[in-house]
Amino acid sequence: MIEERGKVVAVDGDAIWVETVQRSGCHGCAAKSGCGTGLLGDFWASASRVRVQLPPAESQAVQLHDTVVIGIGERVLASSALVVYLVPLVLLVTGALAGQALGSEPLAIAGALLGLFAGALAIRTYSYLRRGDASLEPVYLRREQRNPCAIPVVPVS
């Protein structure tokens, strides 16, 4: 299970809205202050909100501004990333090869663009068909008592 800490920004009956900050992969490096990548990571860091279903036993315990830990299965994340990155790439290369087989470089470029568009459309269709799949949603793991989250609270609009 891949875990992420976040701050509860809204309580919605039997679910909560959790805000997490997305940071670059090298955010924990000791040389971050002198590194261009670390500085860019700080610049591009953004907060994202996700709705997480609460177990019935926790629905009264979790309060606004609490720090919680949510998680998603490693297999789900890996297979989804594989589909999202690999399908457009394979269709792009297939389109380029098909265009090249027809005889010219402009057709190869057009085929690559057509393949990339088909890959984006395939991913959009895949995500639409899987939109109600509970295994793809993050799950509530626990509420943290110590180490409060340092995410600024922004009102939910």
Side-chain angles (χ1 to χ4, degrees):
M1 180 78 53
I2 298 174
E3 298 181 355
E4 181 70 28
R5 293 175 60 217
K7 183 172 288 244
V8 177
V9 293
V11 178
D12 185 18
D14 60 346
I16 54 174
W17 284 91
V18 178
E19 186 173 87
T20 61
V21 174
Q22 300 169 350
R23 301 177 194 255
S24 67
C26 66
H27 206 69
C29 179
K32 181 183 81 133
S33 61
C35 173
T37 304
L39 292 174
L40 282 177
D42 284 343
F43 179 73
W44 291 111
S46 63
S48 64
R49 293 186 181 141
V50 63
R51 186 175 190 272
V52 180
Q53 195 72 27
L54 282 175
E58 292 288 331
S59 62
Q60 299 299 323
V62 176
Q63 305 278 327
L64 194 61
H65 308 300
D66 280 351
T67 300
V68 296
V69 178
I70 58 175
I72 191 163
E74 293 171 355
R75 185 171 298 198
V76 169
L77 186 64
S79 63
S80 297
L82 188 65
V83 167
V84 167
Y85 287 111
L86 195 59
V87 168
L89 181 63
V90 167
L91 290 177
L92 179 136
V93 171
T94 303
L97 291 175
Q100 185 67 33
L102 292 176
S104 69
E105 187 174 339
L107 286 176
I109 294 170
L113 291 174
L114 209 64
L116 185 62
F117 178 74
L121 189 62
I123 294 303
R124 183 76 170 167
T125 304
Y126 174 79
S127 66
Y128 178 78
L129 294 174
R130 304 275 316 255
R131 71 186 180 280
D133 190 352
S135 69
L136 298 176
E137 296 179 10
V139 294
Y140 173 85
L141 297 176
R142 65 187 174 278
R143 187 178 68 158
E144 285 199 347
Q145 302 295 334
R146 54 183 173 32
N147 299 330
C149 198
I151 298 172
V153 176
V154 180
V156 177
S157 48

